[in-house]
Every structure is written in structure tokens, then in C-alpha cells.
Amino acid sequence: MSSRRKFLAQSAIGTLGIAFGNYACANKPGQEPMGSSEPVPTVLSTWNNQAANEAAWAVAGKGGRALDAVEQGVRTVEADPEDMSVGYGGRPDRDGHVTLDACIMDETGNCGSVCFLEHIKHPISVARLVMEKTPHVILAGEGALQFALENGFQKEDLLTEKARQEWEEWKKTSEYKPVINIESHDTIGMLALDQQGNMAGACTTSGLAYKIRGRVGDSPIIGAGMYVDNEVGGAVATGLGEAVLKSLGTFLIVELMRQGMSPQQACEEAIRRIISKQEGHKDFQVGFLALNKKGEAGAYSIQPGFSYALYQRDENKVQEAASAL
Ligand code: ASP
């Protein structure tokens, strides 16, 4: 994936138009045609992850299972050294270690997660194995690594030269604070709805750049970074994980949709809760995406600048979400 900063710079001229169009008709790209009861295969992901959507669409849009789609989709980002917030090439913690968090959830409500995992390029696939091969939901740190190695994953050095150099530069000031809408918030969260009408979700990240060693964010926590209930829909989060954890935002969004809210309304309410309860919200970003079983999508963030990619009816579009501030 090209960096989001580059994308935003490239699209700066068109941003107003996109933002206006999106605000005025936030649900339209994901709206089901009137009278249709057929599932509308859909892939929805955070930021400008169109390439990841392509990989997922090759599965979900072609008769495959949503679970396989989200795994294949986010793996493309995990393998991309240019994406410095996910998998290989991710920025390290303050001690120079790349530590990864990921989770996955299927249409039956099964889920798996790994957190504080080092040396494995595809944490999402380890999370899937935790779901499918163990009676547990979360494996962490050394134990997660041991489990991955026992199951045939290769131990790799995930710190690229570029990430190492940036970290060396960072150490000169060692200033630790979340920066709004720069690549330190580049987590991919993805939801897919397949032709059978089943939904799955995945979320994978290297977390906040230069975090304290051992820090785990929202991304591997079911109901925080991602949640799916196949009766209702799903949601994913990106941004400051601590803020999402305090609100269990994606679980909240799915429950709000269950009570009748549209995906857009549910995302807006979840952001409103964070804003009303978390005083520092002006200084950080959180973005939510939601998808219901009809294929209707929603997107909302605290700050401007949160983009998302929606693949539906053979169109794979990046759009900017409406925001509260
Ligand atoms: N939510 C992720 C975390 O806090 C970061 C991100 O979305 O970029 O670990």
C-alpha cells in the first residue's frame, strides 16, 4: 500500500468534494437496492487499503467464505514493508522490537486473537489458528510465538531498515504521544459479507509506534478493535487503542445496530460516547467502520482525515469519513 500520507496529499484537491459527498449521503455507497433480499457481497476496510480489498473481493465477491476473504485481504498489508503500522515493516516499540496484535471472527461467533506477538509476519493467520485449533480465544507474547512456530510459521526479523532508521531518529527526543492521522494509525480492520450472506471480520496492527514494551491496544481485543455478529453486522476500529478499549466501541456499534440504528448512526453514537467521556479527545483520532447484513456501510471519526475503502458491486472506492470535529 502506498502510505496514507501520500494518498491524502494526492487527494487533497478532491478532499472537500469527497468529504461533502460522503457527509451528505454517508450510507449511499453501501445501500441495498430497494426490494432486494439477495446478499450484497461487500468488503469494507480502514484507510486506503484498496489492494487489500481486491484480495478480499477475489474471495468474497466470487463465492468464497467471508472468513477467508478477510484473512487474505489483511495478509496483503501484513506482508507490505511500506505499511509501517502493520506486520512486516511495522514501527517498533520504544526498545526497537516489532510487536504485533491481531484478531479474527467468523460468522458463527468464533474468534481468535494474538497479542504482543513478535517475529511472525502474518499474525492474522496465527489468530485464525488459535480460533480453529485451540479451545482459547487469545494467546499472548512468548506463548503465541511458540504456538505459531509449532504450527509451521517461520521466525523472521520484522524490523526493516527504514523502520529502524526512523526509530533511531525518534530516540533523539523519545517523545511519546499519539499523532493524529499519521502512519502511526494505519491499522487495517476489515469486514466482509459474502454471497451466502455471512459476515466475518479481521483486524491487524503493529500498534502505536514507540509504545512501551508489552503494550497491547484495542486491535486484538474482540469487541474493541473488531466485532461481528452474523445476525446483525460488524464493526472495526482504528486510532488510539486506549480510547477504543475504554468504550468497547465495536461491540457497542453492533449492539446499536441490533437496536435498529443504521451503521452510520451507530458509528456516530460510538464516537459521541468517546467525545463525551474522554476529555483528551481533541488530541487523538478514533475511526469506526460498520457494515450491516444488508450491505449498508457506515464510517465516522473524531477528527477529519479518516478514510476507508468500500468494495461493492465491482467498485472499489476510497472515501473520507465524516467526522465529529
Ligand atoms: N488501534 C491501534 C492501536 O492502538 C492503532 C491504529 O489503529 O493505528 O494499537
Side-chain angles (χ1 to χ4, degrees):
M1 182 188 91
S2 64
S3 79
R4 183 168 73 258
R5 186 179 290 162
K6 193 164 134 211
F7 160 75
L8 289 173
Q10 281 165 347
S11 62
I13 299 167
T15 299
L16 258 186
I18 293 168
F20 173 77
N22 185 43
Y23 196 88
C25 53
N27 281 349
K28 285 202 173 142
Q31 215 120 46
E32 190 196 24
M34 294 286 281
S36 162
S37 56
E38 288 290 300
V40 184
T42 303
V43 177
L44 178 65
S45 64
T46 51
W47 307 112
N48 57 324
N49 282 305
Q50 273 171 305
N53 274 15
E54 283 290 347
W57 186 257
V59 181
K62 312 287 173 206
R65 187 177 172 200
L67 181 70
D68 296 322
V70 293
E71 182 187 10
Q72 291 310 315
V74 304
R75 276 176 65 99
T76 63
V77 186
E78 289 180 337
D80 181 358
E82 294 303 313
D83 190 308
M84 298 187 73
S85 298
V86 178
Y88 175 55
R91 290 188 180 85
D93 65 15
R94 61 171 53 183
D95 299 334
H97 305 280
V98 179
T99 73
L100 305 176
D101 295 339
C103 73
I104 194 160
M105 194 159 187
D106 74 10
E107 73 280 2
T108 70
N110 278 332
C111 47
S113 157
V114 287
C115 53
F116 191 40
L117 173 63
E118 294 179 66
H119 304 300
I120 300 292
K121 194 183 264 177
H122 289 298
I124 198 66
S125 297
V126 186
R128 182 167 176 173
L129 274 190
V130 173
M131 172 174 83
E132 291 179 340
K133 284 202 160 179
T134 80
H136 308 306
V137 170
I138 305 178
L139 291 182
E142 278 295 317
L145 176 61
Q146 183 185 328
F147 173 76
L149 297 176
E150 282 167 5
N151 282 282
F153 288 82
Q154 299 300 310
K155 192 168 182 176
E156 294 178 62
D157 181 6
L158 302 180
L159 186 66
T160 56
E161 188 48 28
K162 188 174 171 204
R164 195 191 61 73
Q165 277 176 13
E166 281 193 14
W167 169 62
E168 295 288 352
E169 205 44 45
W170 172 81
K171 280 198 290 183
K172 291 179 186 162
T173 57
S174 298
E175 199 186 359
Y176 180 63
K177 60 171 189 193
V179 183
I180 295 162
N181 288 333
I182 71 154
E183 285 79 354
S184 58
H185 292 291
D186 228 1
T187 298
I188 180 161
M190 177 180 276
L191 298 164
L193 184 61
D194 63 28
Q195 287 176 355
Q196 288 68 46
N198 287 322
M199 192 176 291
C203 190
T204 178
T205 190
S206 53
L208 292 184
Y210 319 130
K211 60 196 174 188
I212 294 172
R213 182 153 175 76
R215 181 262 189 192
V216 170
D218 61 315
S219 305
I221 305 301
I222 303 295
M226 186 273 297
Y227 195 72
V228 170
D229 183 326
N230 205 41
E231 284 177 17
V232 177
V236 289
T238 184
L240 183 65
E242 284 71 7
V244 179
L245 282 165
K246 287 174 194 168
S247 66
L248 284 186
T250 59
F251 181 73
L252 174 64
I253 288 169
V254 171
E255 289 308 304
L256 291 171
M257 291 196 291
R258 192 194 307 279
Q259 290 162 27
M261 282 193 188
S262 71
Q264 185 64 30
Q265 288 168 332
C267 288
E268 290 180 16
E269 174 59 18
I271 290 290
R272 197 193 62 72
R273 296 255 184 119
I274 292 177
I275 288 176
S276 67
K277 292 192 182 222
Q278 298 189 35
E279 275 186 3
H281 66 268
K282 287 203 175 73
D283 299 321
F284 61 78
Q285 173 68 303
V286 170
F288 289 118
L289 299 179
L291 183 66
N292 69 15
K293 292 281 293 191
K294 295 189 224 166
E296 294 169 344
Y300 203 62
S301 55
I302 300 177
Q303 318 277 347
F306 171 46
S307 56
Y308 62 99
L310 177 67
Y311 204 142
Q312 209 169 47
R313 300 191 181 85
D314 292 322
E315 258 192 308
N316 188 11
K317 281 194 202 155
V318 172
Q319 305 187 64
E320 189 161 319
S323 62
L325 300 184

